[in-house]
Amino acid sequence: ILAGTLAKPHFFPYVEPKKLEWKTRRKLIIANALEYNPDILCLEELNDYWVYFKDKFRERGYNSVYLKRPSRHESNRSGLEKTDGCGIFFREAKYKLEDHKEIIYSDVHDRIALIVLLRN
């Protein structure tokens, strides 16, 4: 979804700066995702999980699991302090979380993976 901290006008000069503002984009992300009425939704480069997305999706019947990227390496786009991660959202009425696994890769990009085991 492109982390809010990475959507900078100098990286995306062809996009209106207003449309890159995180408070605008995060509302559109939820609206666009729910338009498809998914049972399971996986989001990467997800900022504001704890202060926004978790509650907004919970209000719509989704439970979720989240993993934040570690801040081990500095990059030219995200710097050293990473604020994004991966979130998996699933319909609470349809699935029960049985288990989940967090994977943190040993690479210069601070990549991660999140795996969930759901019971229908």
Side-chain angles (χ1 to χ4, degrees):
I1 63 172
L2 185 62
T5 55
L6 302 179
K8 306 287 185 202
H10 61 278
F11 291 137
F12 302 94
Y14 49 86
V15 178
E16 294 176 43
K18 178 77 176 157
K19 301 225 179 192
L20 292 175
E21 291 178 9
W22 185 234
K23 288 192 178 197
T24 300
R25 287 186 52 238
R26 68 186 190 176
K27 290 176 188 172
L28 291 172
I29 289 166
I30 289 178
N32 287 339
L34 294 177
E35 184 177 330
Y36 295 96
N37 199 28
D39 289 332
I40 300 171
L41 179 66
C42 303
L43 298 176
E44 62 181 35
E45 292 192 12
L46 179 63
N47 287 102
D48 291 350
Y49 171 79
W50 296 107
V51 298
Y52 187 78
F53 285 96
K54 183 178 194 296
D55 291 339
K56 293 295 182 186
F57 277 106
R58 170 71 83 188
E59 292 169 5
R60 290 156 177 88
Y62 290 86
N63 196 354
S64 58
V65 179
Y66 176 76
L67 175 62
K68 182 189 167 297
R69 277 199 309 158
S71 297
R72 295 181 179 159
H73 302 92
E74 189 166 2
S75 72
N76 62 346
R77 288 206 176 201
S78 58
L80 178 58
E81 184 59 34
K82 310 299 188 296
T83 61
D84 63 294
C86 292
I88 300 177
F89 301 83
F90 52 93
R91 281 198 189 281
E92 206 163 25
K94 191 166 189 173
Y95 298 103
K96 179 180 183 267
L97 178 65
E98 293 290 318
D99 199 3
H100 76 283
K101 172 93 173 152
E102 300 175 351
I103 301 170
I104 300 174
Y105 294 98
S106 296
D107 68 1
V108 298
H109 302 289
D110 295 331
R111 286 184 261 222
I112 58 172
L114 186 57
I115 302 167
V116 297
L117 175 63
L118 302 174
R119 180 171 307 277
N120 185 311

mmCIF file of all heavy atoms in Angstrom, residues 1-6 20-30 43-58 64-69 81-87 89:
data_model
loop_
_atom_site.group_PDB
_atom_site.id
_atom_site.type_symbol
_atom_site.label_atom_id
_atom_site.label_comp_id
_atom_site.label_asym_id
_atom_site.label_seq_id
_atom_site.Cartn_x
_atom_site.Cartn_y
_atom_site.Cartn_z
ATOM 1 N N ILE A 1 0.817 -1.203 0.000
ATOM 2 C CA ILE A 1 0.000 0.000 0.000
ATOM 3 C C ILE A 1 0.849 1.249 0.000
ATOM 4 O O ILE A 1 0.315 2.332 -0.094
ATOM 5 C CB ILE A 1 -0.984 0.006 1.191
ATOM 6 C CG1 ILE A 1 -0.262 0.021 2.517
ATOM 7 C CG2 ILE A 1 -1.978 -1.090 1.066
ATOM 8 C CD1 ILE A 1 -1.176 0.209 3.717
ATOM 9 N N LEU A 2 2.145 1.125 0.095
ATOM 10 C CA LEU A 2 3.112 2.209 0.186
ATOM 11 C C LEU A 2 2.965 2.946 1.510
ATOM 12 O O LEU A 2 2.023 3.699 1.732
ATOM 13 C CB LEU A 2 2.991 3.203 -0.968
ATOM 14 C CG LEU A 2 4.050 4.307 -0.988
ATOM 15 C CD1 LEU A 2 5.453 3.735 -1.134
ATOM 16 C CD2 LEU A 2 3.779 5.314 -2.078
ATOM 17 N N ALA A 3 3.880 2.695 2.388
ATOM 18 C CA ALA A 3 3.870 3.288 3.726
ATOM 19 C C ALA A 3 3.723 4.796 3.656
ATOM 20 O O ALA A 3 4.278 5.450 2.767
ATOM 21 C CB ALA A 3 5.155 2.916 4.467
ATOM 22 N N GLY A 4 2.962 5.338 4.592
ATOM 23 C CA GLY A 4 2.730 6.775 4.634
ATOM 24 C C GLY A 4 4.012 7.577 4.702
ATOM 25 O O GLY A 4 4.105 8.666 4.143
ATOM 26 N N THR A 5 5.011 7.040 5.366
ATOM 27 C CA THR A 5 6.286 7.757 5.488
ATOM 28 C C THR A 5 7.097 7.711 4.206
ATOM 29 O O THR A 5 8.063 8.455 4.071
ATOM 30 C CB THR A 5 7.130 7.146 6.630
ATOM 31 O OG1 THR A 5 7.283 5.746 6.384
ATOM 32 C CG2 THR A 5 6.470 7.362 7.967
ATOM 33 N N LEU A 6 6.723 6.860 3.258
ATOM 34 C CA LEU A 6 7.476 6.735 2.010
ATOM 35 C C LEU A 6 6.841 7.479 0.846
ATOM 36 O O LEU A 6 7.447 7.608 -0.209
ATOM 37 C CB LEU A 6 7.631 5.256 1.643
ATOM 38 C CG LEU A 6 8.329 4.380 2.681
ATOM 39 C CD1 LEU A 6 8.389 2.940 2.202
ATOM 40 C CD2 LEU A 6 9.714 4.899 2.996
ATOM 41 N N LEU A 20 -1.053 12.334 -1.685
ATOM 42 C CA LEU A 20 -0.006 11.588 -0.993
ATOM 43 C C LEU A 20 -0.085 11.754 0.525
ATOM 44 O O LEU A 20 0.579 11.029 1.255
ATOM 45 C CB LEU A 20 1.380 12.035 -1.478
ATOM 46 C CG LEU A 20 1.736 11.680 -2.916
ATOM 47 C CD1 LEU A 20 3.082 12.298 -3.290
ATOM 48 C CD2 LEU A 20 1.767 10.184 -3.128
ATOM 49 N N GLU A 21 -0.896 12.690 0.984
ATOM 50 C CA GLU A 21 -1.006 12.914 2.429
ATOM 51 C C GLU A 21 -1.584 11.669 3.085
ATOM 52 O O GLU A 21 -2.605 11.129 2.662
ATOM 53 C CB GLU A 21 -1.879 14.136 2.713
ATOM 54 C CG GLU A 21 -1.232 15.435 2.307
ATOM 55 C CD GLU A 21 -2.120 16.638 2.541
ATOM 56 O OE1 GLU A 21 -3.189 16.503 3.181
ATOM 57 O OE2 GLU A 21 -1.752 17.726 2.074
ATOM 58 N N TRP A 22 -0.945 11.223 4.152
ATOM 59 C CA TRP A 22 -1.294 9.966 4.791
ATOM 60 C C TRP A 22 -2.717 9.948 5.338
ATOM 61 O O TRP A 22 -3.420 8.952 5.227
ATOM 62 C CB TRP A 22 -0.283 9.645 5.876
ATOM 63 C CG TRP A 22 -0.494 8.306 6.506
ATOM 64 C CD1 TRP A 22 -0.637 8.050 7.829
ATOM 65 C CD2 TRP A 22 -0.592 7.032 5.860
ATOM 66 N NE1 TRP A 22 -0.819 6.702 8.054
ATOM 67 C CE2 TRP A 22 -0.793 6.061 6.843
ATOM 68 C CE3 TRP A 22 -0.544 6.628 4.538
ATOM 69 C CZ2 TRP A 22 -0.936 4.708 6.563
ATOM 70 C CZ3 TRP A 22 -0.692 5.272 4.249
ATOM 71 C CH2 TRP A 22 -0.878 4.337 5.258
ATOM 72 N N LYS A 23 -3.178 11.042 5.919
ATOM 73 C CA LYS A 23 -4.535 11.042 6.478
ATOM 74 C C LYS A 23 -5.586 10.862 5.382
ATOM 75 O O LYS A 23 -6.638 10.279 5.616
ATOM 76 C CB LYS A 23 -4.787 12.314 7.275
ATOM 77 C CG LYS A 23 -4.023 12.298 8.578
ATOM 78 C CD LYS A 23 -4.444 13.366 9.523
ATOM 79 C CE LYS A 23 -3.653 13.201 10.794
ATOM 80 N NZ LYS A 23 -4.171 13.879 11.905
ATOM 81 N N THR A 24 -5.306 11.334 4.196
ATOM 82 C CA THR A 24 -6.206 11.132 3.057
ATOM 83 C C THR A 24 -6.081 9.699 2.548
ATOM 84 O O THR A 24 -7.083 9.007 2.345
ATOM 85 C CB THR A 24 -5.867 12.112 1.916
ATOM 86 O OG1 THR A 24 -6.007 13.443 2.397
ATOM 87 C CG2 THR A 24 -6.760 11.899 0.704
ATOM 88 N N ARG A 25 -4.851 9.242 2.355
ATOM 89 C CA ARG A 25 -4.606 7.913 1.779
ATOM 90 C C ARG A 25 -5.114 6.785 2.663
ATOM 91 O O ARG A 25 -5.660 5.803 2.172
ATOM 92 C CB ARG A 25 -3.114 7.723 1.506
ATOM 93 C CG ARG A 25 -2.630 8.529 0.322
ATOM 94 C CD ARG A 25 -1.176 8.249 -0.046
ATOM 95 N NE ARG A 25 -0.946 6.838 -0.207
ATOM 96 C CZ ARG A 25 -0.041 6.138 0.500
ATOM 97 N NH1 ARG A 25 0.706 6.711 1.399
ATOM 98 N NH2 ARG A 25 0.118 4.850 0.281
ATOM 99 N N ARG A 26 -4.941 6.902 3.974
ATOM 100 C CA ARG A 26 -5.341 5.779 4.829
ATOM 101 C C ARG A 26 -6.855 5.568 4.813
ATOM 102 O O ARG A 26 -7.323 4.434 4.881
ATOM 103 C CB ARG A 26 -4.790 5.933 6.239
ATOM 104 C CG ARG A 26 -5.354 7.050 7.039
ATOM 105 C CD ARG A 26 -4.618 7.173 8.353
ATOM 106 N NE ARG A 26 -5.331 8.110 9.222
ATOM 107 C CZ ARG A 26 -4.980 8.368 10.456
ATOM 108 N NH1 ARG A 26 -3.917 7.781 10.979
ATOM 109 N NH2 ARG A 26 -5.668 9.205 11.184
ATOM 110 N N LYS A 27 -7.632 6.631 4.665
ATOM 111 C CA LYS A 27 -9.083 6.485 4.530
ATOM 112 C C LYS A 27 -9.437 5.805 3.205
ATOM 113 O O LYS A 27 -10.323 4.957 3.147
ATOM 114 C CB LYS A 27 -9.761 7.853 4.601
ATOM 115 C CG LYS A 27 -9.713 8.488 5.964
ATOM 116 C CD LYS A 27 -10.319 9.879 5.920
ATOM 117 C CE LYS A 27 -10.103 10.591 7.238
ATOM 118 N NZ LYS A 27 -10.502 11.990 7.185
ATOM 119 N N LEU A 28 -8.732 6.192 2.152
ATOM 120 C CA LEU A 28 -8.978 5.598 0.830
ATOM 121 C C LEU A 28 -8.570 4.127 0.801
ATOM 122 O O LEU A 28 -9.214 3.315 0.135
ATOM 123 C CB LEU A 28 -8.215 6.374 -0.245
ATOM 124 C CG LEU A 28 -8.716 7.790 -0.516
ATOM 125 C CD1 LEU A 28 -7.774 8.526 -1.452
ATOM 126 C CD2 LEU A 28 -10.125 7.755 -1.077
ATOM 127 N N ILE A 29 -7.508 3.784 1.520
ATOM 128 C CA ILE A 29 -7.061 2.391 1.577
ATOM 129 C C ILE A 29 -8.163 1.513 2.157
ATOM 130 O O ILE A 29 -8.485 0.459 1.612
ATOM 131 C CB ILE A 29 -5.756 2.277 2.388
ATOM 132 C CG1 ILE A 29 -4.598 2.890 1.594
ATOM 133 C CG2 ILE A 29 -5.461 0.823 2.755
ATOM 134 C CD1 ILE A 29 -3.347 3.144 2.409
ATOM 135 N N ILE A 30 -8.752 1.953 3.253
ATOM 136 C CA ILE A 30 -9.833 1.173 3.866
ATOM 137 C C ILE A 30 -11.039 1.102 2.941
ATOM 138 O O ILE A 30 -11.602 0.028 2.716
ATOM 139 C CB ILE A 30 -10.215 1.755 5.239
ATOM 140 C CG1 ILE A 30 -9.087 1.457 6.222
ATOM 141 C CG2 ILE A 30 -11.534 1.172 5.735
ATOM 142 C CD1 ILE A 30 -9.292 2.005 7.599
ATOM 143 N N LEU A 43 -1.947 -6.603 4.028
ATOM 144 C CA LEU A 43 -1.406 -5.296 3.685
ATOM 145 C C LEU A 43 0.056 -5.235 4.086
ATOM 146 O O LEU A 43 0.423 -5.603 5.201
ATOM 147 C CB LEU A 43 -2.178 -4.191 4.399
ATOM 148 C CG LEU A 43 -3.658 -4.069 4.071
ATOM 149 C CD1 LEU A 43 -4.311 -2.988 4.922
ATOM 150 C CD2 LEU A 43 -3.864 -3.778 2.597
ATOM 151 N N GLU A 44 0.886 -4.762 3.177
ATOM 152 C CA GLU A 44 2.295 -4.556 3.483
ATOM 153 C C GLU A 44 2.594 -3.062 3.442
ATOM 154 O O GLU A 44 1.803 -2.285 2.914
ATOM 155 C CB GLU A 44 3.190 -5.327 2.516
ATOM 156 C CG GLU A 44 3.048 -4.904 1.090
ATOM 157 C CD GLU A 44 3.932 -5.701 0.155
ATOM 158 O OE1 GLU A 44 4.151 -6.896 0.382
ATOM 159 O OE2 GLU A 44 4.408 -5.097 -0.812
ATOM 160 N N GLU A 45 3.743 -2.692 4.014
ATOM 161 C CA GLU A 45 4.103 -1.285 4.183
ATOM 162 C C GLU A 45 2.997 -0.539 4.925
ATOM 163 O O GLU A 45 2.612 0.575 4.573
ATOM 164 C CB GLU A 45 4.432 -0.616 2.844
ATOM 165 C CG GLU A 45 5.697 -1.145 2.221
ATOM 166 C CD GLU A 45 6.203 -0.316 1.046
ATOM 167 O OE1 GLU A 45 5.702 0.809 0.825
ATOM 168 O OE2 GLU A 45 7.104 -0.792 0.355
ATOM 169 N N LEU A 46 2.476 -1.154 5.947
ATOM 170 C CA LEU A 46 1.345 -0.626 6.708
ATOM 171 C C LEU A 46 1.818 0.202 7.898
ATOM 172 O O LEU A 46 2.449 -0.316 8.808
ATOM 173 C CB LEU A 46 0.476 -1.794 7.192
ATOM 174 C CG LEU A 46 -0.753 -1.454 8.020
ATOM 175 C CD1 LEU A 46 -1.736 -0.625 7.207
ATOM 176 C CD2 LEU A 46 -1.411 -2.728 8.518
ATOM 177 N N ASN A 47 1.534 1.485 7.868
ATOM 178 C CA ASN A 47 1.770 2.393 8.993
ATOM 179 C C ASN A 47 0.505 2.486 9.837
ATOM 180 O O ASN A 47 -0.586 2.169 9.366
ATOM 181 C CB ASN A 47 2.058 3.824 8.514
ATOM 182 C CG ASN A 47 3.413 3.979 7.909
ATOM 183 O OD1 ASN A 47 3.524 4.013 6.694
ATOM 184 N ND2 ASN A 47 4.433 4.078 8.729
ATOM 185 N N ASP A 48 0.623 2.985 11.032
ATOM 186 C CA ASP A 48 -0.521 3.332 11.893
ATOM 187 C C ASP A 48 -1.443 2.160 12.204
ATOM 188 O O ASP A 48 -2.643 2.351 12.414
ATOM 189 C CB ASP A 48 -1.352 4.466 11.279
ATOM 190 C CG ASP A 48 -0.624 5.787 11.273
ATOM 191 O OD1 ASP A 48 0.443 5.889 11.902
ATOM 192 O OD2 ASP A 48 -1.126 6.729 10.649
ATOM 193 N N TYR A 49 -0.908 0.964 12.278
ATOM 194 C CA TYR A 49 -1.745 -0.186 12.614
ATOM 195 C C TYR A 49 -2.408 0.017 13.967
ATOM 196 O O TYR A 49 -3.620 -0.120 14.099
ATOM 197 C CB TYR A 49 -0.912 -1.470 12.608
ATOM 198 C CG TYR A 49 -1.677 -2.652 13.159
ATOM 199 C CD1 TYR A 49 -2.606 -3.316 12.362
ATOM 200 C CD2 TYR A 49 -1.497 -3.093 14.464
ATOM 201 C CE1 TYR A 49 -3.328 -4.393 12.864
ATOM 202 C CE2 TYR A 49 -2.204 -4.168 14.974
ATOM 203 C CZ TYR A 49 -3.123 -4.810 14.169
ATOM 204 O OH TYR A 49 -3.836 -5.869 14.670
ATOM 205 N N TRP A 50 -1.617 0.330 14.988
ATOM 206 C CA TRP A 50 -2.131 0.407 16.359
ATOM 207 C C TRP A 50 -3.029 1.610 16.592
ATOM 208 O O TRP A 50 -3.948 1.555 17.399
ATOM 209 C CB TRP A 50 -0.983 0.420 17.367
ATOM 210 C CG TRP A 50 -0.211 -0.851 17.334
ATOM 211 C CD1 TRP A 50 1.046 -1.043 16.815
ATOM 212 C CD2 TRP A 50 -0.635 -2.126 17.800
ATOM 213 N NE1 TRP A 50 1.409 -2.362 16.937
ATOM 214 C CE2 TRP A 50 0.398 -3.047 17.542
ATOM 215 C CE3 TRP A 50 -1.801 -2.581 18.414
ATOM 216 C CZ2 TRP A 50 0.313 -4.395 17.885
ATOM 217 C CZ3 TRP A 50 -1.878 -3.924 18.752
ATOM 218 C CH2 TRP A 50 -0.842 -4.806 18.496
ATOM 219 N N VAL A 51 -2.805 2.698 15.904
ATOM 220 C CA VAL A 51 -3.579 3.922 16.166
ATOM 221 C C VAL A 51 -4.705 4.151 15.161
ATOM 222 O O VAL A 51 -5.522 5.048 15.359
ATOM 223 C CB VAL A 51 -2.669 5.171 16.203
ATOM 224 C CG1 VAL A 51 -1.662 5.061 17.314
ATOM 225 C CG2 VAL A 51 -1.979 5.404 14.876
ATOM 226 N N TYR A 52 -4.782 3.349 14.112
ATOM 227 C CA TYR A 52 -5.822 3.596 13.109
ATOM 228 C C TYR A 52 -6.414 2.302 12.517
ATOM 229 O O TYR A 52 -7.588 2.014 12.702
ATOM 230 C CB TYR A 52 -5.268 4.477 11.987
ATOM 231 C CG TYR A 52 -6.306 4.924 10.997
ATOM 232 C CD1 TYR A 52 -7.185 5.951 11.297
ATOM 233 C CD2 TYR A 52 -6.421 4.313 9.758
ATOM 234 C CE1 TYR A 52 -8.156 6.354 10.394
ATOM 235 C CE2 TYR A 52 -7.382 4.710 8.848
ATOM 236 C CZ TYR A 52 -8.243 5.725 9.165
ATOM 237 O OH TYR A 52 -9.197 6.110 8.264
ATOM 238 N N PHE A 53 -5.602 1.551 11.802
ATOM 239 C CA PHE A 53 -6.119 0.431 11.019
ATOM 240 C C PHE A 53 -6.733 -0.679 11.869
ATOM 241 O O PHE A 53 -7.765 -1.234 11.499
ATOM 242 C CB PHE A 53 -5.034 -0.138 10.100
ATOM 243 C CG PHE A 53 -4.766 0.737 8.918
ATOM 244 C CD1 PHE A 53 -3.728 1.650 8.937
ATOM 245 C CD2 PHE A 53 -5.568 0.659 7.792
ATOM 246 C CE1 PHE A 53 -3.485 2.471 7.854
ATOM 247 C CE2 PHE A 53 -5.340 1.480 6.701
ATOM 248 C CZ PHE A 53 -4.296 2.389 6.737
ATOM 249 N N LYS A 54 -6.117 -1.037 12.966
ATOM 250 C CA LYS A 54 -6.645 -2.125 13.805
ATOM 251 C C LYS A 54 -8.089 -1.836 14.211
ATOM 252 O O LYS A 54 -8.973 -2.677 14.037
ATOM 253 C CB LYS A 54 -5.774 -2.314 15.047
ATOM 254 C CG LYS A 54 -6.216 -3.465 15.924
ATOM 255 C CD LYS A 54 -5.270 -3.604 17.109
ATOM 256 C CE LYS A 54 -5.380 -4.867 17.850
ATOM 257 N NZ LYS A 54 -6.474 -5.277 18.532
ATOM 258 N N ASP A 55 -8.334 -0.637 14.729
ATOM 259 C CA ASP A 55 -9.686 -0.275 15.175
ATOM 260 C C ASP A 55 -10.660 -0.095 14.014
ATOM 261 O O ASP A 55 -11.829 -0.495 14.112
ATOM 262 C CB ASP A 55 -9.648 0.989 16.021
ATOM 263 C CG ASP A 55 -8.977 0.768 17.366
ATOM 264 O OD1 ASP A 55 -8.895 -0.397 17.821
ATOM 265 O OD2 ASP A 55 -8.522 1.758 17.966
ATOM 266 N N LYS A 56 -10.206 0.520 12.930
ATOM 267 C CA LYS A 56 -11.106 0.754 11.790
ATOM 268 C C LYS A 56 -11.581 -0.562 11.180
ATOM 269 O O LYS A 56 -12.751 -0.705 10.825
ATOM 270 C CB LYS A 56 -10.436 1.617 10.723
ATOM 271 C CG LYS A 56 -10.176 3.038 11.166
ATOM 272 C CD LYS A 56 -11.462 3.778 11.426
ATOM 273 C CE LYS A 56 -11.206 5.198 11.827
ATOM 274 N NZ LYS A 56 -12.417 5.904 12.214
ATOM 275 N N PHE A 57 -10.681 -1.529 11.055
ATOM 276 C CA PHE A 57 -11.098 -2.826 10.520
ATOM 277 C C PHE A 57 -11.881 -3.616 11.556
ATOM 278 O O PHE A 57 -12.798 -4.362 11.210
ATOM 279 C CB PHE A 57 -9.893 -3.618 10.006
ATOM 280 C CG PHE A 57 -9.477 -3.225 8.610
ATOM 281 C CD1 PHE A 57 -8.336 -2.464 8.399
ATOM 282 C CD2 PHE A 57 -10.221 -3.614 7.517
ATOM 283 C CE1 PHE A 57 -7.953 -2.097 7.125
ATOM 284 C CE2 PHE A 57 -9.851 -3.259 6.233
ATOM 285 C CZ PHE A 57 -8.706 -2.488 6.033
ATOM 286 N N ARG A 58 -11.559 -3.466 12.820
ATOM 287 C CA ARG A 58 -12.303 -4.149 13.899
ATOM 288 C C ARG A 58 -13.767 -3.697 13.882
ATOM 289 O O ARG A 58 -14.676 -4.506 14.041
ATOM 290 C CB ARG A 58 -11.654 -3.838 15.247
ATOM 291 C CG ARG A 58 -12.452 -4.271 16.455
ATOM 292 C CD ARG A 58 -12.510 -5.727 16.673
ATOM 293 N NE ARG A 58 -11.325 -6.179 17.366
ATOM 294 C CZ ARG A 58 -11.057 -7.446 17.554
ATOM 295 N NH1 ARG A 58 -11.885 -8.368 17.129
ATOM 296 N NH2 ARG A 58 -9.977 -7.821 18.162
ATOM 297 N N SER A 64 -7.172 -9.153 13.440
ATOM 298 C CA SER A 64 -5.940 -8.971 12.680
ATOM 299 C C SER A 64 -4.706 -9.343 13.484
ATOM 300 O O SER A 64 -4.748 -9.479 14.705
ATOM 301 C CB SER A 64 -5.828 -7.523 12.213
ATOM 302 O OG SER A 64 -5.862 -6.647 13.321
ATOM 303 N N VAL A 65 -3.629 -9.499 12.747
ATOM 304 C CA VAL A 65 -2.295 -9.734 13.298
ATOM 305 C C VAL A 65 -1.358 -8.778 12.565
ATOM 306 O O VAL A 65 -1.521 -8.532 11.367
ATOM 307 C CB VAL A 65 -1.848 -11.198 13.077
ATOM 308 C CG1 VAL A 65 -0.457 -11.427 13.617
ATOM 309 C CG2 VAL A 65 -2.832 -12.160 13.710
ATOM 310 N N TYR A 66 -0.370 -8.250 13.280
ATOM 311 C CA TYR A 66 0.535 -7.255 12.701
ATOM 312 C C TYR A 66 1.969 -7.539 13.134
ATOM 313 O O TYR A 66 2.214 -7.990 14.256
ATOM 314 C CB TYR A 66 0.123 -5.856 13.180
ATOM 315 C CG TYR A 66 1.035 -4.743 12.733
ATOM 316 C CD1 TYR A 66 0.991 -4.270 11.432
ATOM 317 C CD2 TYR A 66 1.941 -4.167 13.620
ATOM 318 C CE1 TYR A 66 1.823 -3.238 11.020
ATOM 319 C CE2 TYR A 66 2.774 -3.128 13.215
ATOM 320 C CZ TYR A 66 2.707 -2.677 11.913
ATOM 321 O OH TYR A 66 3.532 -1.666 11.498
ATOM 322 N N LEU A 67 2.899 -7.247 12.253
ATOM 323 C CA LEU A 67 4.325 -7.321 12.556
ATOM 324 C C LEU A 67 5.010 -6.090 11.985
ATOM 325 O O LEU A 67 4.903 -5.820 10.788
ATOM 326 C CB LEU A 67 4.937 -8.593 11.954
ATOM 327 C CG LEU A 67 6.454 -8.754 12.096
ATOM 328 C CD1 LEU A 67 6.859 -8.822 13.572
ATOM 329 C CD2 LEU A 67 6.935 -9.993 11.343
ATOM 330 N N LYS A 68 5.677 -5.346 12.840
ATOM 331 C CA LYS A 68 6.427 -4.148 12.422
ATOM 332 C C LYS A 68 7.805 -4.553 11.929
ATOM 333 O O LYS A 68 8.423 -5.456 12.471
ATOM 334 C CB LYS A 68 6.558 -3.178 13.596
ATOM 335 C CG LYS A 68 7.273 -1.890 13.249
ATOM 336 C CD LYS A 68 7.553 -1.083 14.526
ATOM 337 C CE LYS A 68 8.519 0.035 14.284
ATOM 338 N NZ LYS A 68 9.850 -0.376 13.876
ATOM 339 N N ARG A 69 8.267 -3.860 10.898
ATOM 340 C CA ARG A 69 9.627 -4.104 10.409
ATOM 341 C C ARG A 69 10.642 -3.644 11.446
ATOM 342 O O ARG A 69 10.456 -2.619 12.094
ATOM 343 C CB ARG A 69 9.898 -3.304 9.124
ATOM 344 C CG ARG A 69 9.406 -3.956 7.897
ATOM 345 C CD ARG A 69 10.054 -3.440 6.628
ATOM 346 N NE ARG A 69 10.049 -1.996 6.489
ATOM 347 C CZ ARG A 69 10.906 -1.335 5.712
ATOM 348 N NH1 ARG A 69 11.849 -1.961 5.052
ATOM 349 N NH2 ARG A 69 10.835 -0.037 5.612
ATOM 350 N N GLU A 81 14.849 4.427 11.038
ATOM 351 C CA GLU A 81 13.687 4.118 11.883
ATOM 352 C C GLU A 81 12.501 3.712 11.009
ATOM 353 O O GLU A 81 11.824 4.541 10.424
ATOM 354 C CB GLU A 81 13.320 5.319 12.742
ATOM 355 C CG GLU A 81 12.192 5.064 13.717
ATOM 356 C CD GLU A 81 12.473 3.927 14.702
ATOM 357 O OE1 GLU A 81 13.632 3.757 15.095
ATOM 358 O OE2 GLU A 81 11.526 3.220 15.062
ATOM 359 N N LYS A 82 12.253 2.414 10.913
ATOM 360 C CA LYS A 82 11.126 1.907 10.124
ATOM 361 C C LYS A 82 9.850 2.038 10.945
ATOM 362 O O LYS A 82 9.836 1.747 12.135
ATOM 363 C CB LYS A 82 11.328 0.434 9.765
ATOM 364 C CG LYS A 82 12.682 0.080 9.159
ATOM 365 C CD LYS A 82 12.955 0.790 7.869
ATOM 366 C CE LYS A 82 14.201 0.311 7.168
ATOM 367 N NZ LYS A 82 15.463 0.524 7.840
ATOM 368 N N THR A 83 8.782 2.486 10.307
ATOM 369 C CA THR A 83 7.502 2.656 11.006
ATOM 370 C C THR A 83 6.398 1.803 10.399
ATOM 371 O O THR A 83 5.253 1.898 10.820
ATOM 372 C CB THR A 83 7.061 4.130 10.979
ATOM 373 O OG1 THR A 83 6.888 4.534 9.622
ATOM 374 C CG2 THR A 83 8.079 5.027 11.664
ATOM 375 N N ASP A 84 6.741 0.985 9.417
ATOM 376 C CA ASP A 84 5.728 0.183 8.736
ATOM 377 C C ASP A 84 5.926 -1.300 9.008
ATOM 378 O O ASP A 84 6.935 -1.718 9.579
ATOM 379 C CB ASP A 84 5.763 0.447 7.227
ATOM 380 C CG ASP A 84 7.083 0.039 6.604
ATOM 381 O OD1 ASP A 84 8.113 0.662 6.928
ATOM 382 O OD2 ASP A 84 7.098 -0.920 5.818
ATOM 383 N N GLY A 85 4.941 -2.072 8.590
ATOM 384 C CA GLY A 85 5.000 -3.518 8.770
ATOM 385 C C GLY A 85 3.960 -4.203 7.911
ATOM 386 O O GLY A 85 3.426 -3.610 6.973
ATOM 387 N N CYS A 86 3.660 -5.448 8.256
ATOM 388 C CA CYS A 86 2.666 -6.249 7.539
ATOM 389 C C CYS A 86 1.479 -6.518 8.453
ATOM 390 O O CYS A 86 1.657 -6.829 9.632
ATOM 391 C CB CYS A 86 3.255 -7.593 7.118
ATOM 392 S SG CYS A 86 4.526 -7.469 5.870
ATOM 393 N N GLY A 87 0.295 -6.420 7.898
ATOM 394 C CA GLY A 87 -0.921 -6.726 8.641
ATOM 395 C C GLY A 87 -1.787 -7.697 7.870
ATOM 396 O O GLY A 87 -1.933 -7.571 6.660
ATOM 397 N N PHE A 89 -5.642 -9.120 7.990
ATOM 398 C CA PHE A 89 -6.966 -8.890 8.547
ATOM 399 C C PHE A 89 -7.891 -9.999 8.045
ATOM 400 O O PHE A 89 -7.825 -10.376 6.884
ATOM 401 C CB PHE A 89 -7.497 -7.523 8.096
ATOM 402 C CG PHE A 89 -6.620 -6.381 8.519
ATOM 403 C CD1 PHE A 89 -5.498 -6.025 7.786
ATOM 404 C CD2 PHE A 89 -6.910 -5.658 9.663
ATOM 405 C CE1 PHE A 89 -4.683 -4.975 8.185
ATOM 406 C CE2 PHE A 89 -6.104 -4.607 10.072
ATOM 407 C CZ PHE A 89 -4.994 -4.277 9.334
#
